[in-house]
Amino acid sequence: MRSIWNGAISFGLVSIPIKLVNATESHSISFRQIHLSDGGRIRYRKVCELDGEEVTNAEIGKGYEEPDGAIIPITDEDLAQLPIATAKTIEIVSFVPADEIDPLQMDAAYYLAANGATAAKPYTLLREALKRSRQVAIAKYALRGRERLGMLRVVDDVIAMHGLLWPDEIREPEGVAPEGSVSVRDAELDLADALMATLGEVDISSLRDEYRDAVESMIEAKAEGAFEPPAEVGTEPAGKVIDLMAALENSVRAAKAARGEAASGAGAAGTEGGEAEVTPMRRSASSGSGGSRTSRKSAGSAPKDVGGKKSTATTAKKTAASGTAKKSAAKSTSKSASAKSASGARSGTVKSTSAAKKTSAKKTASAAKTASGAKKAAPRKRTA
């Protein structure tokens, strides 16, 4: 592998000559810009804005532009003569546990190769020290015109270095978390745990970039003139939310089926089918919108027959229901009074019964008098 930087690791008073090699490579498919009308290639030419002539890479240098537009030329020699120790040195400043490094700080990865036979012994010493301590080394180095942070760790029998972002380059996650308080039930957590346990571990080397495979297949088909656009993928209807419990249960079932296991336990309690159920989103009654009032009216309404008989029957039913309700209320009141009377002394019960009989007798006598008065008040018919 071709080295991109030569220097040394400064480990106290020990200097280890090394070469920096890229540890990763990109397999993304690159595209060219073309002219849509005729398919011609679009190219960019580097032209000097003063004389209008195209220049080669060998004629191009670096310069710093000041606010007024003036350019200050900067050469590689100028950068090499800067009074910093990390210009050609990876300077180790401390050793820390690996879990103290926030993965958000991780940047590009490199392999550090021993540069020459004299570097083999100190290189191996640092590698074995990192292994035994189970720690990583934090270092500073300069690359591509700026000073950077790095983390040294052991990968197999090689020392690898991860570029780290400076702490002030990590943005605070303000406004990213869901707004308001969201509660999660224990049953949902149990299903999530079951799904995690069912999925288990995976061999990272077995994972593939399916998008890149699909693009390569499309390019090959287009080159052979046999490309057919695939059917459009349906999208989820708007205004609906996924039933979380059903989605978790179906996920557990699908994961077990993929592993050849029978669905059981919490995962088998869900609905049948491979897709999660979808529950329509409901608008709250407190929103005050006309749509919610309309939905309530439409949900509660039913077809009605029109006609006098139907209306009379309905009125009769309402009257009967009202009378029944009054009788029920009277019975309830009577039962309540009876219960209170039963809880008192026996003498109180006898007195209450006697008083009730007297009241009933008085009402009967009053009714008889009223009827007699009515008869007397009626006019007599004269005989011819």
Side-chain angles (χ1 to χ4, degrees), residues 46-290:
K46 298 178 180 180
V47 178
C48 176
E49 64 179 16
L50 295 180
D51 55 19
E53 295 182 0
E54 185 177 354
V55 295
T56 63
N57 289 335
E59 300 176 281
I60 298 175
K62 292 186 286 289
Y64 176 80
E65 183 177 4
E66 292 188 316
D68 60 357
I71 302 295
I72 301 177
I74 303 294
T75 65
D76 292 337
E77 291 75 16
D78 295 334
L79 297 174
Q81 294 175 2
L82 291 176
I84 56 174
T86 58
K88 279 293 182 178
T89 303
I90 298 175
E91 182 182 3
I92 296 177
V93 295
S94 68
F95 293 86
V96 298
D99 56 6
E100 290 189 8
I101 305 300
D102 189 343
L104 282 175
Q105 289 186 259
M106 297 288 188
D107 201 2
Y110 308 94
Y111 290 136
L112 303 183
N115 192 3
T118 57
K121 182 65 178 287
Y123 183 96
T124 305
L125 173 64
L126 177 59
R127 184 190 66 195
E128 296 304 315
L130 288 172
K131 281 184 179 180
R132 189 166 71 172
S133 67
R134 297 182 179 179
Q135 291 183 317
V136 297
I138 303 300
K140 295 171 67 177
Y141 65 101
L143 182 65
R144 298 189 180 99
R146 56 171 295 192
E147 190 174 52
R148 305 167 184 263
L149 273 179
M151 180 189 76
L152 277 62
R153 68 184 184 97
V154 178
V155 177
D156 295 334
D157 289 331
V158 177
I159 298 176
M161 181 175 70
H162 295 269
L164 298 179
L165 300 175
W166 294 97
D168 59 358
E169 292 178 318
I170 305 297
R171 300 173 63 182
E172 293 293 334
E174 296 178 358
V176 179
E179 297 181 359
S181 59
V182 179
S183 60
V184 179
R185 294 179 294 172
D186 290 340
E188 294 169 340
L189 283 175
D190 292 341
L191 280 173
D193 291 340
L195 177 58
M196 292 167 64
T198 304
L199 292 176
E201 299 180 356
V202 65
D203 183 8
I204 299 296
S205 61
S206 66
L207 301 179
R208 289 186 57 82
D209 185 352
E210 297 180 2
Y211 179 81
R212 188 187 70 191
D213 293 343
V215 172
E216 289 176 347
S217 299
M218 178 191 64
I219 293 173
E220 184 179 355
K222 275 182 170 288
E224 297 175 355
F227 174 71
E228 294 182 2
E232 295 184 0
V233 180
T235 57
E236 188 71 20
K240 294 186 177 180
V241 293
I242 295 177
D243 187 337
L244 183 57
M245 290 292 291
L248 289 170
E249 289 168 352
N250 291 333
S251 298
V252 173
R253 186 182 299 106
K256 287 185 176 181
R259 291 177 175 270
E261 301 176 7
S264 62
T271 57
E272 297 295 333
E275 296 183 358
E277 293 182 355
V278 176
T279 304
M281 185 179 294
R282 297 178 180 177
R283 303 181 68 176
S284 61
S286 61
S287 61
S289 61

Side-chain angles (χ1 to χ4, degrees), residues 312-324:
T312 305
T314 303
T315 305
K317 288 182 180 180
K318 289 183 178 180
T319 305
S322 176
T324 304

Side-chain angles (χ1 to χ4, degrees), residues 338-345 349:
S338 177
K340 290 181 179 179
S341 301
S343 62
T349 304

